[in-house]
Amino acid sequence: MKLNEYQIIALAEKYFIKNNSNIVKNIGDDTAVVKPVKGLQLLTSDMLIEGTHFLLDKISPYNLGWKSLAVNISDIASMSGKPDYALLSIGLNNKVNYDWLEDFYKGLSDCANTYQVNIIGGDTVSSKSDVVINIALTGNSEKPIYRNTAKENYILTSTGYLGLSGAGLKLLLSEKKSFDKYENYCIEKHVKPIPKVSEGLFISEYVNDFAMCDSSDGLYNSAKLISKQSNLGIDLFSENFSFNSNLCEVEKDLNQVIDLILYSGEDYELIFALSENDYNNLKEKYYQKFQFQLPLLGKFNNSKEIKLLKKSNYITLNDKSFNHF
Ligand code: ADP
Ligand code: MG
């Protein structure tokens, strides 16, 4: 069945309109109207294009809906913020139908409900080539955390395991047709990422002075962003990386696992830098709350270089991460 704009908006109203006393006008007028947030206002937007960011035959519409919003929520999480309102703009081609769209909206709506986001508007157009999804998201934070506030001797750590999503993507793009439980675990991390909002807020509750970003493009990239913007260098310690047991079942070669952790992205963990003292204080509390041991991934210095310590040799790292252009 061919889609029309009226149906698409009716479906958006069915799945997205939720009661919230801060929303004065929801989907259906020229703009949405909301009350001002307390604290500072965060604004972000992310675009996903068929063929570049996803393949219609490799991700279900439900997971694509979930992921489209989750990647935006991760940007709010990495500022130590809470997400609020989303606008969804979509360009649809004739490869997708009403059922596809309904499942896409279900995934979006489940993600929105999980993170208390309200989708309050958007735009719908037809596309002659690829499916395009753009989500703009607002959030709020009393004290946003930036990338440029790391200091010499600060420690780099992450809220969870890295490299799983990249391993999942590799499997999806391989010739393989069926997957074991370890492989499915990694694939699930790729197609349905879990942004770390509570973790970002938890860290800012206990640590005053830190720097943070998300791991959308891998550990090397995050380490580089924080180092460059803070005018520092970093030594990364490969022996301290957290090696997830599912990932090690899927990829038996430890060097390959280290490469996935460094250069593959889309885990949407938070990567953050803090003083050794704060790190030691936070470690125990974080473990009690999230059952994850914060790894000592690296230590910042004045060198301006990014080095990896591997079997007592220092290697200067080069950029192998995903290049968007
Ligand atoms: P306009 O002509 O002003 O662009 P539209 O007819 O595109 O208005 O949209 C009507 C209403 O539906 C608006 O509130 C708009 O924000 C909302 N809307 C349109 N497309 C979507 C969508 N894909 N998801 C959510 N809301 C949408
Ligand atoms: Mg419009």
mmCIF file of all heavy atoms in Angstrom, residues 5 122-124, ligand 2:
data_model
loop_
_atom_site.group_PDB
_atom_site.id
_atom_site.type_symbol
_atom_site.label_atom_id
_atom_site.label_comp_id
_atom_site.label_asym_id
_atom_site.label_seq_id
_atom_site.Cartn_x
_atom_site.Cartn_y
_atom_site.Cartn_z
ATOM 1 N N GLU A 5 0.715 11.258 3.370
ATOM 2 C CA GLU A 5 1.165 12.072 4.492
ATOM 3 C C GLU A 5 0.167 12.060 5.653
ATOM 4 O O GLU A 5 0.542 12.029 6.815
ATOM 5 C CB GLU A 5 1.403 13.507 3.998
ATOM 6 C CG GLU A 5 2.381 14.269 4.867
ATOM 7 C CD GLU A 5 2.583 15.700 4.398
ATOM 8 O OE1 GLU A 5 2.426 15.950 3.188
ATOM 9 O OE2 GLU A 5 2.876 16.539 5.248
ATOM 10 N N GLY A 122 7.440 17.060 13.813
ATOM 11 C CA GLY A 122 8.394 16.615 12.812
ATOM 12 C C GLY A 122 7.962 17.024 11.428
ATOM 13 O O GLY A 122 7.167 17.958 11.259
ATOM 14 N N ASP A 123 8.472 16.310 10.448
ATOM 15 C CA ASP A 123 8.100 16.589 9.071
ATOM 16 C C ASP A 123 8.166 15.292 8.286
ATOM 17 O O ASP A 123 8.944 14.391 8.626
ATOM 18 C CB ASP A 123 9.047 17.642 8.472
ATOM 19 C CG ASP A 123 8.422 18.331 7.267
ATOM 20 O OD1 ASP A 123 7.167 18.306 7.129
ATOM 21 O OD2 ASP A 123 9.177 18.890 6.449
ATOM 22 N N THR A 124 7.340 15.181 7.262
ATOM 23 C CA THR A 124 7.281 13.963 6.471
ATOM 24 C C THR A 124 7.344 14.319 5.003
ATOM 25 O O THR A 124 6.547 15.133 4.536
ATOM 26 C CB THR A 124 5.951 13.224 6.752
ATOM 27 O OG1 THR A 124 5.819 13.062 8.166
ATOM 28 C CG2 THR A 124 5.927 11.874 6.078
HETATM 29 MG MG MG B 2 5.627 19.640 7.072
#
